[in-house]
Amino acid sequence: MEIEAVVNGVAMTLQCSMGTNLLCALRDAGVLSPKTACEEGRCGACSVLNDGAVVYSCLLPALACHGAAITTVEAGVAADLTEALVARGAVQCGFCTPGFVVTIEALLARYAARPLDDATVRAALSGNLCRCTGYEGLVAATLDVHLERTTVSS
Amino acid sequence: MNGSAVIRRPVSIAEAVAAMGECPQFTVCAGGTALMPGLNRHPESVPAGWIFLGGIEELRGWRRTSSGGWRLGALVTLEQVASLGDDLSLLAHAARGAGSWQLRNAATLGGSLVAAWATSDVITALCCLETQVEIVSATGVRHAALEEFIVGSGHTVLGAGELLSAVLVGPTAGRHSYTRVGARAANSPLLCALAVSADPRLETVRVAVADGSHVARRAPAAERLLFAEADPAAFAAAAQSVAAPGDDALASAAYRRHAIGVLARRAHRALRGGAR
Amino acid sequence: MIGADTPRPDVRAKITGTFRYSNDLEAPGMLYLATVRSPHAHAELGHIDATAAAAVQGFVCVLDSRHVPARRQPKALGEQPILAEGVVRFCGEPVALVVAATEDAAWQAAALIRVEYQPLPVLSDATTALAPGAPAVHPGGNLVRHLCLARGELSTGAPVEVEGRWEIGRQDPGFLGLEAALAVPGGDGGVTVRAATQDVCNDQRSIALQLGLEEHQVRVEHAGMGGAFGGRERITLQAHVALAALALGRPVKATYRRHESFVSHAKRHPGLIVLSLGATEGGEVLYARGRVLLDGGAYAPEPTSAVLGAVCYFLGGPYRIPAVDIQGDAVYTNNPISGAMRGFGAPQACFAVESTMDLLAARVGMDPVELRRRNALRPGDLFPTSGQLVPGPAPVREVIDACASIAMPPLPRREAGVRRGVGFALGVKNVLYGEGEPEWAQAEVVLDAHGAVVRSSAAECGQGALGVLTQIATAALDGIPATVPAGSTDDGYAGSSSASRQTWMSGSAVMAAAADVSAQLRILAARCFDVELEKVEIVDGQLRAPGRAATLAEVLGDQQLRAAATYRAPLTRRGDPLTGEGPVHAAWMFVAHRAVVDVDVELGSVRLVQMATAQDVGLAINPREVRGQMVGGSIQGFGFAVMEDLRCEEGVPLNDSFSDYLMPTAADGAEVVTVLVEQAEPQGPFGAKGVGEPPSISSTAAVVAAIRDATGRPLPRIPARPEDCVARALSPDPRR
């Protein structure tokens, strides 16, 4: 079976069977940045944007996503976020990283015009597990970028 | 591919109900978050067919009703619920603690009610809000009170060919409190939870207790005691008495019972001491 | 270069999603393998019926122990067979393998395999493993290792004695990257396996052993790894895919699901430690008497033996203790397999020692940090258990003081029912293998006009090993850029990425090989420039002599310079069989943590406010990466203190998922303030030593001490769940 979706701005046909989740359908189509790590919506490594909302792709039936617009880091990662993650040592094994990037960008978009603090970032990122870094670099990079973007725009 | 014999994508409630009638063995899917963990773990249990509700606009959105309450469409997500204010803030507060941001963006209010998990935060809150569910079938529309709709953990009275289309919440005013205990700071199933709503005229008090093993239930004895007794102990004991928690890998029954007592004492203090 | 926060070579690819992991591996024509596992913790294995499975579209075959080729060497006692033979010994043990054309078909078929079992009595309580009549997990009994350490004369009665009984739960490495491997048959009876593994050479040896092959017939290549923390030291699916690939003549891939990952890889040894400390009224420790019991699970005696060694040898902490009497037993049970996990016995020992030291501090009325200062090892002292002379540098006192003087977080706003607690703990572990385990590492450097390539089989788990080797190579080549690609068994032997050893071991080999190549280059340049060798310099990748300069390309032309080096670890020996004394460890790492927590004392919920840590890191090759290890390991330690426990009932895991095996999220984390205490390790490359494990060692003990401070509860067990942290006990159990 197949569905048509727009993945990172490009129309794609995703192959799937009845029970396939969106994560597997994406990966089978060569979109490898979302990762299989728990398949029960508890770790966030599969996070993608679905019509702009950050969701667990392992919890979406692929067949439910016909006509959806999906975004992953294959769409490109903003340079300021990339540099902040590097500068803050926020990446070690990297398995969780694409899921975090998607979630962080969604958070930054939501808070583009208002203040963002450490506690809010930590709560927003609590759906993404990282076993290597202890989160400090990820949280700090998020706040760095938010500060930079809100300073520049104001 | 828009539809086939085994995949239905209705765009109206009527179409959905018709599909459910034709194909009762098909899996009805709202957000998918309650269904997919089981399917992922047991890929051998392949659905016979799907009825995806995501294209039905009339299941989205929320508005005030003429009686001063609210009508929330079945597909309203928990993230949308989390942002509600005014007299739905008890429900919003409960939704904010549920799962994670990613989960809340996909999980729906209707799906939460149909799944009827014992660990549901929103069901616990809805117990305090004079809640009815709207059910549509080929024969028409009916309503059921929340306490009649959910009969046990994972069990509702939703029959074959019936679709939960909306959640109706009665007019509410006054104070409320929602507290839950998780096993870590965030993204944890509730170990137990307590929802309280109290009309300022002190005539309507509702207390709902979730013990982690059973869907939240009202505690009538506690409701009578909230304003009648200055000492929180009796209120707390009454709240604890409707709980029948079990042991699991996360916490013991004794702890859950104890924690319910703590939440109750605190709610008693908060609701009697000042407005929320 | 050295001491610089150089970004790792792979970090941008990981951010943009182009970095490839073992989970992403593919080969044309590949088949998929799924594993059938025992639901029983102990049972006789009977008939395996594949009839229903064979009807699944895409089914290729099922393999069980009868399809495994004859071994060349007999199985060692306690060694896990590639597939269960006649008996299963833990819940989740692989019984059969299903191969199919698609992953879905493999899973569907595996679910349809019918296996007959005759349940046997289950040994799940390690405390009964050595009692007469206990079910025998293996023929020959349930003892893996008994170890005695006896040094000095224990006084018959010290002025003060305290005793604690400490229980340790089962922490899982919880790495995010699920196990995955791809095997490609060579057509000549050999096979190449690509996998995420901590040691390609160990994998090679294990696969060859299990499949009756010669080692040279098995190649193992590193594939991208999503973390390890000890859980990839032993093979899990590597021999399975190799078996299937050789049997079918096709590439075969397997990927684990999370619940089978939980039961397959080794976990930290749970156990029980009873420790008494005798001391003067002034708090000077006179002796340590310890009894240790570790639950080794169903298989794998080697890591279990070594972990027991570590627990026992570190049960005196980094303290000056003239006499010790420590006995330990590691046993088999029908529980999931225990093995290496970051810290490798030191965290368990630290929890026991530090908890008992706090009892002592309370008993003699001394500040807990002052008690540590009073007893801390100094250069020239003897290590308490092995009796080894502790040479400088041994900055134990500096680590204590640095940690204790980190600024405390601001005081909280007064909140009803919330109490703040502070706890301190000091930890120690050896770096490198120790106990006489042979240890060496090889590297080769090849230099041409484009730059240098380092060949090493060292595993990059995510800890930054290849980045550090890049920095070392570039520094040893005086700035000529070097790259360190992920290697394979073709690249010599590097040993495992474990024991905090890779910087020291492979770093030393790389440094030597690079220095050799650099010397060759300077000789060549000297000839080119027609000057004396001493006048040649390499500056920023250029060759210079007075009045002369040339690029690498100009000097080398088409030539390639190469050098290989083998670095041997400082020798260690197994301790004396009666006393345990001897040169057991090559060197040590010291670490301190101070935890500040806010505890809701009615609900027992613990919030980390601040973790402060100071660590003896040698000289940091890359301070930012060192900090990354310190922060990450500290949060793992917090997880073990309050939430991480793979609970089993009669050997069956209860919480084999991320829904109920809980690890800290960002919301559980807090600021981790780090101080790097840098005193050069004389034997390490550029003064470096290991840094990966200490963050997991004293962090747990510090958090538990902080919770005790806030609640007054004795907390004899880790993890301390909310119900254990409620200020007033819920149950009448006096121990809790």
Side-chain angles (χ1 to χ4, degrees):
Chain A
M1 321 192 83
E2 47 187 48
I3 59 152
E4 306 290 332
V6 177
V7 181
N8 297 319
V10 175
M12 279 185 84
T13 304
L14 302 181
Q15 306 293 327
C16 60
S17 59
M18 285 299 279
T20 309
N21 57 47
L22 177 65
L23 171 65
C24 290
L26 286 170
R27 289 181 59 80
D28 285 346
V31 183
L32 294 177
S33 75
K35 299 284 183 276
T36 309
C38 79
E39 290 195 293
E40 56 174 337
R42 287 289 176 193
C43 79
C46 70
S47 301
V48 302
L49 294 186
N50 178 18
D51 292 333
V54 59
V55 294
Y56 295 133
S57 60
C58 73
L59 294 188
L60 283 172
L63 290 168
C65 299
H66 186 64
I70 307 292
T71 310
T72 69
V73 297
E74 277 86 349
V77 181
D80 58 355
L81 181 57
T82 302
E83 293 317 311
L85 290 169
V86 173
R88 288 291 191 173
V91 179
Q92 291 187 27
C93 85
F95 206 78
C96 71
T97 304
F100 265 102
V101 170
V102 168
T103 311
I104 290 171
E105 281 289 15
L107 178 64
L108 291 169
R110 189 180 214 192
Y111 281 81
R114 25 184 189 143
L116 185 60
D117 64 12
D118 184 271
T120 307
V121 173
R122 287 180 180 276
L125 299 182
S126 64
N128 298 66
L129 291 180
C130 174
R131 195 52 164 164
C132 298
T133 70
Y135 304 105
E136 208 179 74
L138 290 157
V139 174
T142 304
L143 291 169
D144 287 347
V145 175
H146 178 264
L147 183 64
E148 221 179 272
R149 288 183 186 176
T150 50
T151 307
V152 164
S153 65
S154 69
Chain B
M1 173 168 292
N2 209 357
S4 71
V6 292
I7 304 164
R8 302 302 189 91
R9 303 179 202 278
V11 296
S12 71
I13 294 176
E15 216 186 307
V17 167
M20 290 165 71
E22 281 168 45
C23 313
Q25 75 282 23
F26 281 17
T27 303
V28 179
C29 177
T33 60
L35 292 165
M36 292 307 287
L39 194 55
N40 288 337
R41 179 127 178 187
H42 300 284
E44 66 277 8
S45 40
V46 182
W50 288 106
I51 300 174
F52 293 120
L53 304 178
I56 306 175
E57 278 313 304
E58 47 186 314
L59 290 178
R60 298 190 192 284
W62 57 94
R63 59 178 171 78
R64 269 213 185 277
T65 62
S66 50
S67 57
W70 289 86
R71 178 199 171 79
L72 301 117
L75 289 185
V76 171
T77 68
L78 296 194
E79 184 62 19
Q80 288 170 325
V81 173
S83 63
L84 299 173
D86 300 318
D87 43 341
L88 283 175
S89 46
L90 170 62
L91 184 61
H93 192 151
R96 278 198 286 278
S100 66
W101 190 20
Q102 289 96 323
L103 198 81
R104 292 190 296 273
N105 275 333
T108 64
L109 193 59
S112 301
L113 283 163
V114 172
W117 284 357
T119 50
S120 171
D121 290 275
V122 291
I123 292 176
T124 308
L126 286 171
C127 286
C128 292
L129 294 175
E130 219 186 300
T131 305
Q132 292 205 319
V133 298
E134 183 181 274
I135 299 167
V136 182
S137 69
T139 55
V141 181
R142 71 182 179 97
H143 295 90
L146 180 65
E147 51 268 27
E148 287 157 21
F149 179 69
I150 297 177
V151 295
S153 176
H155 295 296
T156 69
V157 299
L158 200 66
E162 289 192 314
L163 177 72
L164 189 157
S165 53
V167 177
L168 302 164
V169 169
T172 47
R175 310 171 194 169
H176 70 267
S177 156
Y178 185 80
T179 47
R180 58 131 53 205
V181 177
R184 62 183 171 193
N187 193 3
S188 158
L190 63 77
L191 300 181
C192 61
L194 183 81
V196 184
S197 72
D199 184 293
R201 290 166 299 152
L202 312 187
E203 284 184 39
T204 325
V205 177
R206 286 170 176 243
V207 176
V209 177
D211 63 16
S213 304
H214 306 90
V215 176
R217 36 186 123 169
R218 295 270 298 275
E223 290 167 358
R224 288 190 286 278
L225 287 168
L226 178 63
F227 293 107
E229 277 277 340
D231 176 7
F235 175 76
Q240 286 172 307
S241 70
V242 304
D247 296 311
D248 69 16
L250 291 180
S252 68
Y255 174 74
R256 290 169 203 260
R257 189 184 315 277
H258 162 82
I260 289 166
V262 174
L263 295 182
R265 279 196 298 278
R266 292 178 180 180
H268 185 271
R269 195 162 44 234
L271 288 166
R272 287 172 57 93
R276 270 281 276 264
Chain C
M1 285 179 297
I2 301 300
D5 290 338
T6 313
R8 300 184 194 183
D10 56 17
V11 71
R12 285 189 170 80
K14 288 173 173 173
I15 293 168
T16 60
T18 55
F19 185 86
R20 292 289 167 254
Y21 295 88
S22 62
N23 314 72
D24 306 318
L25 289 169
E26 264 191 341
M30 80 182 180
L31 299 171
Y32 296 83
L33 179 149
T35 311
V36 180
R37 300 177 180 279
S38 165
H40 300 282
H42 197 197
E44 275 169 22
L45 180 61
H47 182 62
I48 298 171
D49 180 359
T51 321
V56 170
Q57 182 171 40
F59 174 87
V60 171
C61 72
V62 62
L63 302 167
D64 60 42
S65 62
R66 297 167 300 168
H67 303 101
V68 180
R71 294 167 62 105
R72 288 156 193 266
Q73 280 169 266
K75 200 157 62 66
L77 187 67
E79 185 192 321
Q80 183 179 0
I82 177 176
L83 290 169
E85 298 160 11
V87 64
V88 291
R89 296 187 170 91
F90 71 96
C91 179
E93 181 166 357
V95 163
L97 308 171
V98 173
V99 183
T102 67
E103 199 168 18
D104 267 359
W107 282 111
Q108 284 177 36
L112 293 172
I113 300 277
R114 294 282 159 265
V115 184
E116 276 172 12
Y117 296 99
Q118 282 291 346
L120 293 168
V122 170
L123 175 62
S124 60
D125 180 355
T127 63
T128 64
L130 299 178
V137 179
H138 294 279
N142 297 327
L143 183 67
V144 178
R145 183 184 189 190
H146 176 75
L147 178 60
C148 277
L149 305 181
R151 229 190 109 232
E153 290 287 321
L154 251 71
S155 17
T156 44
V160 171
E161 185 177 279
V162 292
E163 181 176 282
R165 182 182 183 279
W166 313 107
E167 236 181 279
I168 292 117
R170 184 179 281 106
Q171 185 180 31
D172 190 279
F175 46 77
L176 283 212
L178 289 165
E179 289 85 343
L182 172 68
V184 182
D188 54 354
V191 65
T192 294
V193 176
R194 302 173 63 198
T197 171
Q198 290 175 243
D199 187 347
V200 283
C201 295
N202 184 62
D203 282 17
Q204 176 191 46
R205 193 176 55 81
S206 298
I207 295 166
L209 198 63
Q210 291 197 340
L211 298 184
L213 296 169
E214 310 234 355
E215 276 185 33
H216 71 86
Q217 293 180 285
V218 179
R219 282 185 70 250
V220 182
E221 291 178 7
H222 279 300
M225 194 182 323
F229 316 111
R232 299 196 220 248
E233 242 186 49
R234 299 173 61 242
I235 60 170
T236 48
L237 39 52
Q238 291 91 315
H240 293 160
V241 291
L243 172 69
L246 286 168
L248 297 167
R250 299 267 299 271
V252 177
K253 182 178 178 185
T255 308
Y256 278 176
R257 326 300 293 262
R258 180 54 60 181
H259 61 273
E260 54 177 348
S261 176
F262 266 111
V263 297
S264 298
H265 59 246
K267 289 125 211 17
R268 192 183 292 294
H269 283 76
L272 193 57
I273 301 175
V274 179
L275 181 64
S276 321
L277 295 176
T280 65
E281 289 283 0
E284 205 183 301
V285 179
L286 300 173
Y287 64 78
R289 182 189 302 112
R291 297 291 177 266
V292 176
L293 175 69
L294 293 184
D295 179 348
Y299 291 108
E302 281 177 20
T304 290
S305 295
V307 171
L308 179 70
V311 175
C312 292
Y313 275 109
F314 300 125
L315 209 51
Y319 299 119
R320 207 172 34 256
I321 306 178
V324 302
D325 163 22
I326 294 168
Q327 292 184 42
D329 290 310
V331 298
Y332 291 113
T333 63
N334 294 118
N335 290 326
I337 300 170
S338 308
M341 185 179 165
R342 192 175 190 176
F344 204 80
Q348 295 96 314
C350 182
F351 173 62
V353 176
E354 294 303 285
S355 299
T356 313
M357 284 291 274
D358 280 347
L359 291 179
L360 180 61
R363 172 69 180 72
V364 300
M366 184 180 284
D367 168 61
V369 179
E370 193 48 43
L371 182 69
R372 272 56 173 205
R373 287 195 186 98
R374 179 76 48 99
N375 291 282
L377 285 169
R378 299 157 308 204
D381 288 333
L382 299 181
F383 202 82
T385 47
S386 63
Q388 283 176 268
L389 181 74
V390 177
V396 188
R397 185 61 192 259
E398 290 86 330
V399 160
I400 295 171
D401 291 341
C403 184
S405 56
I406 290 172
M408 287 284 282
L411 283 171
R413 212 184 62 236
R414 275 216 156 280
E415 211 181 316
V418 175
R419 278 195 230 138
R420 177 159 290 190
V422 184
F424 186 91
L426 190 61
V428 62
K429 186 185 176 284
N430 66 306
V431 53
L432 313 188
Y433 291 147
E435 282 208 84
E437 183 71 29
E439 186 165 14
W440 72 99
Q442 297 172 315
E444 185 182 48
V445 174
V446 181
L447 179 69
D448 64 20
H450 305 295
V453 175
V454 176
R455 297 189 59 200
S456 161
S457 66
E460 170 60 63
C461 309
Q463 84 285 40
L466 298 189
V468 163
L469 296 182
T470 308
Q471 285 180 257
I472 288 174
T474 306
L477 290 166
D478 296 304
I480 294 171
T483 59
V484 186
S488 72
T489 44
D490 295 341
D491 299 308
Y493 174 84
S496 53
S497 285
S498 67
S500 307
R501 63 185 289 280
Q502 215 53 283
T503 295
W504 183 326
M505 294 300 298
S506 288
S508 297
V510 167
M511 191 173 76
D516 187 330
V517 165
S518 174
Q520 291 180 45
L521 179 64
R522 287 172 61 248
I523 290 170
L524 207 58
R527 253 188 258 140
C528 247
F529 295 155
D530 194 22
V531 296
E532 288 107 58
L533 180 58
E534 305 75 59
K535 296 228 165 72
V536 176
E537 280 187 307
I538 304 175
V539 179
D540 294 334
Q542 285 229 318
L543 282 304
R544 304 249 182 97
R548 307 293 305 277
T551 65
L552 202 58
E554 286 161 357
V555 172
L556 281 177
D558 291 336
Q559 264 191 59
Q560 224 183 39
L561 302 178
R562 57 174 64 218
T566 299
Y567 174 77
R568 295 186 189 284
L571 276 182
T572 62
R573 258 205 329 264
R574 265 246 160 148
D576 179 273
L578 292 177
T579 66
E581 288 177 278
V584 173
H585 297 137
W588 299 278
M589 306 171 285
F590 303 101
V591 60
H593 278 88
R594 183 191 70 204
V596 179
V597 300
D598 280 343
V599 183
D600 178 328
V601 295
E602 289 185 298
L603 289 175
S605 11
V606 174
R607 186 176 75 87
L608 183 68
V609 176
Q610 182 204 65
M611 187 86 86
T613 177
Q615 186 175 328
D616 157 39
V617 301
L619 290 190
I621 304 277
N622 186 319
R624 182 167 57 197
E625 296 296 343
V626 170
R627 274 209 78 241
Q629 292 300 299
M630 293 169 75
V631 175
S634 295
I635 298 301
Q636 278 187 1
F638 175 74
F640 193 25
V642 299
M643 65 178 80
E644 294 190 36
D645 195 3
L646 186 71
R647 299 175 87 95
C648 297
E649 200 169 274
E650 293 302 303
V652 178
L654 297 176
N655 52 333
D656 54 353
S657 88
F658 282 157
S659 288
D660 39 23
Y661 182 87
L662 299 184
M663 306 194 306
T665 72
D668 298 291
E671 184 191 24
V672 181
V673 183
T674 58
V675 172
L676 279 57
V677 174
E678 290 189 87
Q679 294 190 9
E681 164 52 58
Q683 304 177 98
F686 296 106
K689 73 203 285 190
V691 300
E693 292 172 287
S696 299
I697 292 172
S698 38
S699 41
T700 301
V703 171
V704 179
I707 303 172
R708 290 190 191 112
D709 185 42
T711 62
R713 297 292 301 278
L715 301 181
R717 188 181 188 276
I718 45 175
R721 296 172 307 159
E723 58 199 90
D724 305 314
C725 303
V726 172
R728 234 182 53 226
L730 295 177
S731 76
D733 184 344
R735 292 179 309 158
R736 308 190 73 104

